[in-house]
Amino acid sequence: MNDLPTSTLREGLSVIARGIKGQPRWFSLAVLGSVVYGVMTGMTAWTIGWVVEHEISPAIAAGSVTPQQLWTIGGVMGLVVLVTVIGVIGRRLAGGVAMFNLGAMYRRQVTRQYLRLPLAWHHRHPSGQLLSNANADVEATWNIFAPLPMALGVVVMLAFGIVQMMVIDPWLAVVGLTVFPLLFLANVAFQRAMSPKVTLAQQLRADVSEVAHESFEAALIVKSLGREDHEAERFREVTHALRDANIEVGRTRGRFDPAIEAIPTIGTLAVLFVGTLRVSGGYLTAGQVVQVAYLFSILAFPVRALGWVLAELPRAVVGWKRVSAVLDAEGSMTYGDRNLPRGRSSRLQAEQVAYAYEVESEAGEIDHNPALVDVTLDVAPGATVAVVGPTGSGKSTLTNLMMRLVDPDTGAVLVDGIDLREVRRGGISDVAALVAQQTFMFDDTVRGNVTLGAPHDDEAVWRALNVAQGAGFVDRLPEALDTHVGERGASLSGGQRQRIALARAIIREPQLLILDDATSAVDPSVEQAVLSRLREASTGTTVVVVAYRMATILLADEVVYLEGGRVLDYGTHTELLGRCAGYERLVTAYAREAAERAALASEDDDIGADFDDDYAEPDARRDRVEEVSR
Amino acid sequence: MSMRSQALVEHHGVATGKEMSTSDTLKRGLHLSPELSRGIWVTVCLAVLSTLGRVLVPFVVQRITDEGLLASGGPDAAVVAVYIGVALVGVAVTAVSAYFVNVRLFRASENGLSTLRLKAFRHIHDLAMLTQNTERRGSLVSRVTSDVDTISMFVQFGGLMLMINIAQITLATILMVVYSPPLALVVWLCFVPLFIIIRKFQGIVGRAYTKVRERVGDMLGAISEAVVGAQAIRAYGVEDRTAARIDVSVEAHRKAAIGAQARSVVAFTSGQLVSGLTTAVVLVVGTVLAVSGRLTLGELLAFLFLVNLFTMPVQQATEILNEMQNAVAGWRRVIGIIDTPADVSDPADDGVELPRGPITVQFSGVGFSYPGGEPVLHDIDLTIAPRSRVAIVGETGSGKSTLAKLLTRLMDPTSGRVLLDGTDLDTIRFSSLRQRVVLVPQEGFLFDGTLLDNVRFGRPEASQEDVERTLAELGLDAWVATMPLGVMTEVGQRGESLSAGERQLVALARAYLADPDLLVLDEATSAVDPSTEVRLQRALDSLTRGRTSIAIAHRLSTAQAADEVIVVDAGRIVERGPHAELVRLGGVYSRLHDSWVAQQQSV
């Protein structure tokens, strides 16, 4: 991190400029309020002098005071106070509005970016860090707008004060002109010393958030393996690092703060000393010296606002760097302007597609892990194709490519002859739907999770749920379609989430449906119902289904067999069964297993007849079954 | 199941601490972070010392003016020099003691608050699974991050000021009384309404800041969807909708923040207004007193200095008290989570340590219902013999997963008892229980790290050889060999560089390496291909000899391999026995089996 004061100052000023550009009106209003406050604070000293000279002294001299005089004293002072307070309200309220508006503005921009950047980018960035960018870093960037208007008001105040001093005595003004730049320099030194420490603390704060986030997401695993102590230790390490960094920040602050506070006081004493000499020399009256000393004492406190701004600068710069890293992130997908044909089932092709994941080793070296190699496919409109392959053979990657969630490294994916990269933004999801292996639920109602905001009436939602065989359980939820499913659908079981996710796809009547092992937790009959329902639809649907189940595979016209990221075979189930050993091994695994078990069991049967009797209470058990079914 | 989400929030939710008063919150907060108040008296004394210096300076300035500048017979440079010397000593004392106050305060607050962070973090992990699920993860994160940060900001910036201010207010009052008791009375009378207003405003401002903190939680929840749900959002092209939902939460937060700001501005400026008006009143009353000869003009003007010395800290204090509401709101939320009872708690030292060895599981009259919901398990009586391999099957929602969660004590039964080797589950120390019983859930979360570290998460002392041997025993060595860096391959965020099936393989290896006596698999291989699953199954069969294993399975291949199958339907055990026998029985299981066979049949 660059800790040259000038560069932090320059970067800080550019952050401020950006903020002012974002909220010109509220910021101007805040500065206006601050200037009113600054001028009126200077006016207070002057007003007191005026009241004493014109009202109080004559009254004391006369030995009596009229109500008229008392009203003037109270009235003039009251008026000054009132205007000052209005200035303060303007400054703080408008400053706050500007600050929070900027925060909201940049939170929107950052999250827009999250939605725009490709999946690969997301995989490279810890979610804890992204949350911290959108929350703490945005806040750190714009927090500077809290003291900023005040500081600008103080500048006005200072100018006002220096002019007053100039008018009174140039020598006293020289004292002022020495002290105020000294104050500024002290603040710059302060900020220079603080910058690296604050940067470190900010980074550690993000680390703490990251560890907490991951650990809480893993709560179930932590619990079931009894690793709470281990996790607490991991969190303790980052927390203690943050603590130590913050204590360092405090130490630096402790060193500079009192010094910066002492400077105006020393200035006041200097004024008195120089003033005494000047009075002795007959150039000044004692009253004038007192007036300047009073000015110093009034200015001493607000001048610190300049220090606050400078103290906030490094934080703002660091926050902005982290925010702008997101805003400037490139590699977002580019889109064409073509539309995919509507109203009929789609043809899906993959031409020599290759895709490799980037894997970063602990040493930070990037390695490529090929997931797909030279994959070529042609799925006819209206066909149902099953993608079969062992765990880790690239099936999910293939489905992601088909939806253009990722772009191939080489080759192309085409729908109806159109390269997906030429399709306009949102054009693919208009015609295609993917039900992923792991369903994501939004923190919304059941209805919202099915429609995702598209204008479908409840009847359509129920129809879709019916096809997905989810209507039954949804109907039993306390508020049916209006039931909130909680964050990530926490209140639902895996099977229930899958049914809602299926309904989400069905309601869209897609021309191309991709099911990525999306029915593992539901009955095969659900799968059959979904597929036949889609076939009945007027447009018809091309279906790509990643499956292990024989029943599902049998629903497909053709089968693609993947292994190690390559298409090893492509044909009907029967063909593959006959000629592809890997395929045969995979799909008949259960049957072979069952056959072997059965053979073993029949041997056991003769031996274990007595054993069976222990369990044989078929009548009693049947009773219980009936009880349940009633 | 049906009422779950609703009911949980009502009965089992995380406490927000909203009902706690400010003073109770502070008391409890200080109790939880003893470092905050440790040695506080030394800090307070130093703060008073630094304040003495601060008060001394204007006092000296006034003396210099009266005795030096305005001395009869012209300015007296010698007197001025002496006083300036005294003032410089005051400045030095202030600076030195302020340095120590700063350092001590930072050290105390950072130590105290890191203790609070750690306590809250640990307690969140100790909370029952159901309680954890009532809260958004993002909101839990904010309890140990931004909420604590708010407190530390206050303690470090506000806390110091508040101490200095209170000392200064006290000193200024004493000086005012020395100068003019009636005017001192006037000043205090002017401030009485302010104190009343402030008390009232503190409640208002406090509630406003509580709302802001809640909105921050909502906002983080909404933003996390854009991050965690990245794939689903892109697949359905719902970027705009997600953006709109985020915007709603961002806007709600902005409004709440501005609302809180407006309220605190009103509270703060009322302090400034009262201060200004007090000066006006002092001038008016002072004039009357001066006219009647009870006060000189010089004394009146000197008194104005003192009023300033009094009102400045009062104004600052009001502002700090407002900020304190923000901190107290954060504090309440953190305390709220720490005070949420861990329903399923570790008996710890009172608990029983079970010796290792084959495990017997016994359910005795167990019933379970989710809070406020209908029973999902009824009167379960079940004994699982040691060394047996049991499969639990049933339709989705039959209660079979609930059995697994009761068995691993992620939840406690509503009625009845669960026993391991004849010992009540809830009397067994967690350290012993988690070592002996391990659950592998369907979605095995992986940490951002290497395969190696993920597999040995349950047993960090395991060497790379141990991990590689385990993987080989499970027949996963060929799969690992396809990874670019073998066991040193990074799995990415939440293991997202791997497929769901691969994550399950890692999760299984992780549980296996932890070497439990009872392994509970809750659909742990649902995303693994059949051939690998069968291979795994066989490996586990030979490896789990000597321990008890319970598998909850959708695929009946697991049931076929088991010694015994337990069939759950609508919350009851309806059948149990070996696979072959249940098939012949012609009940629920045989129906499930027919449909399973039909799925596997090749035509």
Side-chain angles (χ1 to χ4, degrees):
Chain A
M1 205 49 59
N2 196 344
D3 62 343
L4 283 173
T6 46
S7 88
T8 305
L9 196 63
R10 202 177 51 237
E11 284 166 353
L13 289 178
S14 92
V15 171
I16 290 173
R18 191 180 295 272
I20 294 172
K21 230 180 277 167
Q23 288 291 317
R25 285 193 198 168
W26 286 107
F27 182 74
S28 311
L29 199 61
V31 172
L32 183 70
S34 186
V35 168
V36 169
Y37 159 76
V39 170
M40 291 317 286
T41 304
M43 283 286 284
T44 311
W46 182 86
T47 310
I48 291 175
W50 185 87
V51 169
V52 170
E53 199 180 324
H54 292 92
E55 303 291 334
I56 302 178
S57 295
I60 293 174
S64 74
V65 63
T66 62
Q68 173 70 38
Q69 280 173 311
L70 289 181
W71 277 114
T72 312
I73 297 167
V76 171
M77 281 305 294
L79 195 68
V80 169
V81 167
L82 215 61
V83 178
T84 311
V85 165
I86 288 169
V88 170
I89 291 179
R91 182 191 86 214
R92 296 177 67 106
L93 207 54
V97 172
M99 178 172 83
F100 294 123
N101 282 356
L102 283 168
M105 229 167 95
Y106 278 84
R107 283 191 175 113
R108 282 193 291 265
Q109 286 184 20
V110 166
T111 49
R112 284 295 181 287
Q113 195 69 354
Y114 291 165
L115 291 169
R116 228 193 48 180
L117 288 165
L119 221 44
W121 184 88
H122 277 272
H123 289 159
R124 284 199 304 271
H125 294 83
S127 35
Q129 184 194 317
L130 296 186
L131 278 180
S132 176
N133 290 153
N135 184 39
D137 291 330
V138 168
E139 198 174 296
T141 307
W142 303 121
N143 256 353
I144 197 164
F145 275 76
L148 187 61
M150 167 93 167
L152 293 176
V154 166
V155 171
V156 173
M157 214 187 276
L158 280 182
F160 199 70
I162 287 176
V163 168
Q164 275 192 352
M165 283 182 226
M166 289 281 202
V167 170
I168 292 168
D169 183 64
W171 283 104
L172 288 184
V174 166
V175 174
L177 285 171
T178 318
V179 167
F180 292 127
L182 195 65
L183 205 53
F184 181 76
L185 284 179
N187 273 310
V188 168
F190 178 34
Q191 166 244 311
R192 180 182 184 168
M194 276 297 252
S195 177
K197 290 176 177 144
V198 171
T199 308
L200 179 67
Q202 190 80 348
Q203 174 57 45
L204 288 168
R205 201 168 276 130
D207 289 352
V208 167
S209 160
E210 232 170 274
V211 171
H213 204 267
E214 185 178 57
S215 189
F216 294 159
E217 290 239 24
L220 182 62
I221 298 301
V222 171
K223 216 181 249 307
S224 66
L225 284 168
R227 302 307 295 164
E228 291 93 339
D229 288 339
H230 171 259
E231 285 301 286
E233 187 49 44
R234 201 156 76 95
F235 188 68
R236 187 193 312 278
E237 275 171 31
V238 280
T239 301
H240 281 178
L242 173 62
R243 175 197 66 186
D244 295 343
N246 275 337
I247 290 176
E248 270 313 299
V249 167
R251 197 185 299 281
T252 310
R253 201 181 77 149
R255 224 175 283 143
F256 281 91
D257 243 17
I260 288 170
E261 196 186 326
I263 291 172
T265 311
I266 294 170
T268 311
L269 296 173
V271 163
L272 287 173
F273 188 70
V274 174
T276 308
L277 297 180
R278 299 283 290 163
V279 173
S280 305
Y283 304 103
L284 271 179
T285 68
Q288 284 171 317
V289 176
V290 174
Q291 198 182 338
V292 175
Y294 188 72
L295 210 59
F296 259 81
S297 78
I298 284 184
L299 290 177
F301 177 74
V303 161
R304 308 209 61 206
L306 284 175
W308 298 336
V309 168
L310 288 168
E312 279 285 333
L313 263 186
R315 234 168 83 85
V317 169
V318 172
W320 173 246
K321 273 186 185 153
R322 295 169 58 97
V323 168
S324 60
V326 174
L327 295 180
D328 299 341
E330 286 182 15
S332 59
M333 285 186 167
T334 53
Y335 296 87
D337 52 5
R338 299 186 67 178
N339 280 303
L340 294 172
R342 305 291 290 264
R344 60 185 168 83
S345 49
S346 310
R347 177 183 180 189
L348 174 69
Q349 290 162 282
E351 288 176 351
Q352 296 182 305
V353 166
Y355 186 83
Y357 286 98
E358 282 184 0
V359 186
E360 200 177 327
S361 71
E362 264 176 357
E365 291 151 25
I366 303 276
D367 213 315
H368 289 272
N369 186 17
L372 290 177
V373 185
D374 195 23
V375 170
T376 300
L377 283 179
D378 191 349
V379 182
T384 297
V385 168
V387 178
V388 182
T391 303
S393 57
K395 303 182 296 294
S396 293
T397 308
L398 186 59
T399 61
N400 283 348
L401 282 161
M402 287 170 176
M403 285 298 293
R404 211 195 162 202
L405 294 176
V406 290
D407 278 332
D409 297 335
T410 58
V413 181
L414 303 97
V415 167
D416 290 327
I418 299 170
D419 190 325
L420 290 183
R421 284 170 291 210
E422 292 168 16
V423 178
R424 68 171 171 80
R425 173 185 279 273
I428 299 167
S429 55
D430 279 351
V431 303
L434 164 74
V435 186
Q437 198 168 25
Q438 270 176 338
T439 50
F440 182 82
M441 290 285 120
F442 293 88
D443 188 2
D444 197 347
T445 59
V446 172
R447 180 191 293 105
N449 267 296
V450 173
T451 63
L452 296 182
H456 295 289
D457 57 18
D458 281 6
E459 205 186 315
V461 175
W462 281 116
R463 264 203 313 273
L465 282 169
N466 241 323
V467 176
Q469 295 195 4
F473 88 83
V474 172
D475 198 35
R476 286 192 299 274
L477 293 175
E479 289 169 75
L481 291 182
D482 291 313
T483 311
H484 277 267
V485 302
E487 189 186 37
R488 320 269 184 276
S491 67
L492 304 173
S493 75
Q496 290 172 332
R497 285 199 292 268
Q498 275 194 350
R499 282 161 214 235
I500 291 180
L502 281 170
R504 186 188 282 171
I506 293 162
I507 204 166
R508 304 184 146 223
E509 299 185 345
Q511 294 162 214
L512 171 62
L513 175 67
I514 300 160
L515 301 171
D516 183 7
D517 197 19
T519 49
S520 62
V522 299
D523 231 48
S525 58
V526 176
E527 203 165 14
Q528 253 148 359
V530 170
L531 294 181
S532 56
R533 158 72 207 235
L534 289 169
R535 282 179 168 162
E536 284 160 21
S538 54
T539 53
T541 303
T542 308
V543 180
V544 175
V545 53
V546 173
Y548 294 129
R549 282 204 289 230
M550 188 73 90
T552 315
I553 295 168
L554 290 177
L555 293 172
D557 305 311
E558 283 186 309
V559 178
V560 177
Y561 180 67
L562 278 180
E563 207 179 291
R566 290 171 195 276
V567 176
L568 284 201
D569 209 342
Y570 186 28
T572 65
H573 168 68
T574 328
E575 286 166 8
L576 262 62
L577 214 50
R579 67 185 186 215
C580 180
Y583 178 74
E584 199 260 333
R585 210 166 36 241
L586 191 84
V587 296
T588 60
Y590 292 142
R592 273 184 293 120
E593 175 79 356
E596 281 173 33
R597 298 270 176 205
L600 280 173
S602 66
E603 282 169 29
D604 284 354
D605 257 7
D606 307 326
I607 312 158
D610 294 340
F611 177 75
D612 277 0
D613 281 345
D614 292 343
Y615 286 98
E617 282 175 63
D619 290 342
R621 234 172 278 136
R622 221 164 283 141
D623 284 351
R624 257 190 271 165
V625 176
E626 275 163 19
E627 187 189 319
V628 170
S629 57
R630 258 182 253 134
Chain B
M1 171 78 59
S2 57
M3 302 271 290
R4 210 194 286 178
S5 65
Q6 274 262 313
L8 284 184
V9 177
E10 281 167 37
H11 301 285
H12 273 230
V14 166
T16 54
K18 239 186 228 176
E19 55 291 332
M20 247 205 262
S21 76
T22 301
S23 65
D24 284 349
T25 308
L26 292 176
K27 236 179 267 166
R28 183 96 181 92
L30 290 175
H31 178 74
L32 286 169
S33 308
E35 296 92 338
L36 282 179
S37 40
R38 198 172 295 151
I40 188 77
W41 289 113
V42 179
T43 314
V44 167
C45 288
L46 284 167
V48 169
L49 197 61
S50 80
T51 312
L52 271 176
R54 271 195 197 92
V55 175
L56 179 73
V57 170
F59 183 73
V60 166
V61 168
Q62 211 250 318
R63 289 280 132 177
I64 291 174
T65 317
D66 278 3
E67 296 174 20
L69 273 173
L70 304 174
S72 47
D76 187 338
V79 170
V80 171
V82 169
Y83 273 119
I84 285 177
V86 171
L88 284 175
V89 170
V91 168
V93 168
T94 302
V96 171
S97 50
Y99 167 76
F100 284 109
V101 170
N102 245 311
V103 171
R104 289 183 61 86
L105 205 65
F106 264 78
R107 195 175 291 142
S109 62
E110 284 300 326
N111 276 312
L113 294 173
S114 80
T115 303
L116 185 68
R117 254 190 243 272
L118 294 172
K119 275 182 183 160
F121 179 89
R122 181 55 211 248
H123 193 75
I124 288 170
H125 275 304
D126 286 340
L127 288 174
M129 183 191 72
L130 288 179
T131 316
Q132 288 174 343
N133 288 348
T134 58
E135 274 291 289
R136 291 185 180 133
R137 302 291 140 144
S139 157
L140 290 176
V141 173
S142 74
R143 308 288 173 105
V144 295
T145 55
S146 59
D147 284 340
V148 176
D149 291 340
T150 318
I151 307 169
S152 84
M153 287 282 270
F154 164 71
V155 174
Q156 288 158 9
F157 293 81
L160 172 69
M161 289 304 245
L162 200 60
M163 269 193 269
I164 292 174
N165 289 332
I166 289 169
Q168 197 169 331
I169 291 168
T170 314
L171 282 171
T173 304
I174 292 169
L175 285 175
M176 286 195 302
V177 171
V178 169
Y179 268 78
S180 167
L183 279 183
L185 188 66
V186 165
V187 171
W188 269 93
L189 281 179
C190 285
F191 273 86
V192 167
L194 181 70
F195 293 139
I196 294 168
I197 293 171
I198 286 172
R199 274 199 73 82
K200 220 179 157 55
F201 260 104
Q202 257 174 29
I204 296 171
V205 173
R207 277 190 295 280
Y209 278 116
T210 304
K211 201 168 151 194
V212 173
R213 307 260 22 114
E214 286 169 8
R215 294 290 169 271
V216 170
D218 291 347
M219 188 172 72
L220 285 176
I223 293 173
S224 78
E225 284 196 343
V227 173
V228 183
Q231 188 199 28
I233 289 164
R234 279 157 188 74
Y236 283 88
V238 287
E239 287 91 348
D240 292 346
R241 175 167 191 262
T242 312
R245 282 158 59 88
I246 291 171
D247 287 356
V248 168
S249 71
V250 168
E251 181 59 16
H253 168 257
R254 187 189 70 92
K255 282 214 173 107
I258 290 176
Q261 172 87 356
R263 284 166 182 81
S264 91
V265 166
V266 170
F268 169 76
T269 43
S270 64
Q272 202 150 23
L273 185 67
V274 170
S275 302
L277 292 180
T278 303
T279 310
V281 172
V282 164
L283 272 177
V284 170
V285 176
T287 307
V288 173
L289 289 174
V291 165
S292 62
R294 271 178 286 170
L295 201 70
T296 67
L297 181 58
E299 280 170 335
L300 177 57
L301 291 179
F303 197 88
L304 279 183
F305 262 98
L306 290 178
V307 171
N308 208 24
L309 217 56
F310 177 83
T311 58
M312 284 282 273
V314 169
Q315 277 177 49
Q316 262 185 26
T318 46
E319 184 159 24
I320 290 163
L321 287 176
N322 283 328
E323 267 168 29
M324 188 174 83
Q325 290 307 319
N326 195 358
V328 166
W331 225 330
R332 276 200 190 106
R333 281 168 47 87
V334 183
I335 293 170
I337 205 137
I338 289 176
D339 287 350
T340 302
D343 289 336
V344 181
S345 62
D346 184 359
D349 292 342
D350 301 334
V352 182
E353 197 89 33
L354 280 187
R356 300 218 44 163
I359 245 172
T360 313
V361 179
Q362 202 185 335
F363 279 71
S364 160
V366 167
F368 184 81
S369 47
Y370 287 97
E374 286 173 18
V376 291
L377 284 181
H378 312 266
D379 204 21
I380 301 281
D381 284 306
L382 178 68
T383 305
I384 293 170
R387 294 196 169 87
S388 60
R389 287 165 300 138
V390 173
I392 300 178
V393 301
E395 300 272 2
T396 304
S398 58
K400 56 187 194 302
S401 272
T402 307
L403 272 180
K405 283 169 190 145
L406 292 176
L407 181 55
T408 48
R409 211 171 166 232
L410 289 173
M411 311 188 296
D412 281 334
T414 322
S415 59
R417 301 156 70 194
V418 182
L419 304 109
L420 289 190
D421 291 345
T423 309
D424 269 306
L425 203 55
D426 57 7
T427 62
I428 302 171
R429 293 188 69 150
F430 274 14
S431 56
S432 173
L433 178 68
R434 300 301 183 211
Q435 195 182 27
R436 302 205 62 205
V437 182
V438 166
L439 169 83
V440 188
Q442 189 175 1
E443 282 169 29
F445 184 94
L446 300 192
F447 292 84
D448 186 8
T450 59
L451 266 180
L452 177 71
D453 286 339
N454 271 290
V455 173
R456 66 181 175 193
F457 178 72
R459 233 182 72 194
E461 71 277 10
S463 67
Q464 182 167 344
E465 287 72 46
D466 293 338
V467 169
E468 279 166 351
R469 193 180 326 115
T470 298
L471 288 164
E473 280 173 5
L474 291 171
L476 298 175
D477 40 352
W479 166 68
V480 173
T482 66
M483 295 282 126
L485 299 171
V487 292
M488 297 310 287
T489 307
E490 296 275 332
V491 302
Q493 278 291 302
R494 289 184 295 272
E496 274 165 7
S497 303
L498 306 181
S499 75
E502 290 173 318
R503 286 200 289 272
Q504 288 191 335
L505 298 181
V506 179
L508 198 71
R510 171 168 67 191
Y512 179 70
L513 182 69
D515 191 27
D517 294 318
L518 171 61
L519 190 60
V520 184
L521 306 171
D522 188 0
E523 308 237 11
T525 50
S526 61
V528 174
D529 74 77
S531 164
T532 308
E533 193 190 21
V534 166
R535 221 170 44 238
L536 262 178
Q537 190 69 56
R538 291 196 168 164
L540 282 174
D541 279 358
S542 57
L543 299 166
T544 53
R545 295 286 172 210
R547 49 187 119 200
T548 316
S549 82
I550 296 176
I552 288 159
H554 199 75
R555 296 179 182 174
L556 293 198
S557 57
T558 314
Q560 285 171 339
D563 297 329
E564 191 184 16
V565 179
I566 292 168
V567 186
V568 184
D569 192 33
R572 290 175 202 277
I573 294 174
V574 289
E575 289 168 12
R576 64 179 295 189
H579 165 77
E581 198 206 324
L582 292 186
V583 171
R584 263 176 278 154
L585 192 67
V588 177
Y589 186 74
S590 75
R591 276 204 306 279
L592 286 171
H593 185 252
D594 287 348
S595 121
W596 164 254
V597 171
Q599 285 172 46
Q600 301 314 320
Q601 221 73 72
S602 159
V603 276

